[in-house]
Amino acid sequence: MHWWQEITSLGGLAFTGPLALFIALFLLTGRQPGSALAWCLLFGGAMLAVMATKIAFLGWGIGIRPLQFAGLSGHAARAAAVFPVALYLLFQHERPALRNGAVGFGLLCAALVAVSRVKVHAHPVSEAALGFVAGMAAAACFLVLLERAPRVRLSPWLVAACIAVLLLRPERDPVDSEKWMSVAAMTLSGHDRVYQRWSWQLARAPFSVQCRPPETARGYICS
């Protein structure tokens, strides 16, 4: 279980968030603003799909109960979108076989992140698999665009900064995304509680999270 916890952390926002940002910076410094915009739109679209499916369930109970699907796995989606693209950029000047192998390795790593979400009981198979597919679709569309664009020259200083940021990342994600999606779902639905996966019903008590007393946000109560 410890190893699965380590693998699942690679799909966390603390790791994939900076990496996604650095991809955009690599493209901008490589004088590819159009590609940078396309990356932001595709990656952002995949993340919007994750948030939309989760908020739909939390606020209104919209999901696929026979498959226990209550929202795309964000970890799996981010990993599948970011890892293949990052490795493609690193190996873009190599021969096609090596470049394609790097992209395949990125997908393999993302698949392991998706499996880890099931192993640590964070998601059922349906959510991890569909999250992986959503991220992979974003990556595939972007890689098709990159193949038609001039090669990007990566700044060694920017690569070094990226590695340093990833190595020094915090152990926990900087943002509790689940809490804020719950807040968004309650604000939009008008409920003071969220739907629960185990019962597929609204929770019996108002939404409550563990937080410090000074922390406030509309729609949740500090317990």
Side-chain angles (χ1 to χ4, degrees), residues 183-196:
V183 172
M186 289 185 291
T187 301
L188 292 171
S189 67
H191 298 143
D192 65 347
R193 59 204 71 197
V194 296
Y195 277 82
Q196 296 180 316

Side-chain angles (χ1 to χ4, degrees), residues 44-58 71-72 74 177 181:
M47 296 306 100
L48 282 175
V50 170
M51 290 188 291
T53 55
K54 288 188 175 184
I55 290 174
F57 175 76
L58 291 169
L72 299 170
S177 58
M181 280 189 283

Side-chain angles (χ1 to χ4, degrees), residues 22-175:
F22 273 108
I23 288 173
L25 291 176
F26 288 144
L27 295 167
L28 285 173
T29 57
R31 298 181 180 179
Q32 291 289 335
S35 296
L37 177 60
W39 165 248
C40 291
L41 291 175
L42 287 167
F43 180 75
M47 296 306 100
L48 282 175
V50 170
M51 290 188 291
T53 55
K54 288 188 175 184
I55 290 174
F57 175 76
L58 291 169
W60 295 273
I62 299 173
I64 307 174
R65 191 169 187 177
L67 298 179
Q68 286 298 298
F69 177 82
L72 299 170
S73 166
H75 283 65
R78 285 192 301 268
V82 169
F83 292 168
V85 173
L87 287 171
Y88 175 93
L89 289 173
L90 283 176
F91 288 88
Q92 62 184 317
H93 298 288
E94 303 298 331
R95 61 183 185 276
L98 184 56
R99 186 168 65 246
N100 293 336
V103 172
F105 180 72
L107 286 174
L108 175 61
C109 292
L112 286 174
V113 170
V115 171
S116 75
R117 299 304 286 164
V118 179
K119 291 293 186 179
V120 301
H121 307 295
H123 289 281
V125 173
S126 61
E127 295 177 356
L130 290 175
F132 175 82
V133 170
M136 183 175 62
C141 290
F142 184 67
L143 291 177
V144 169
L145 293 175
L146 275 187
E147 279 291 328
R148 299 174 181 175
R151 294 287 183 258
V152 179
R153 184 174 297 278
L154 301 183
S155 165
W157 294 106
L158 197 55
V159 172
C162 178
I163 294 173
V165 169
L166 294 179
L167 289 176
L168 296 175
R169 73 186 192 279
E171 292 185 4
R172 299 180 61 183
D173 285 347
V175 177

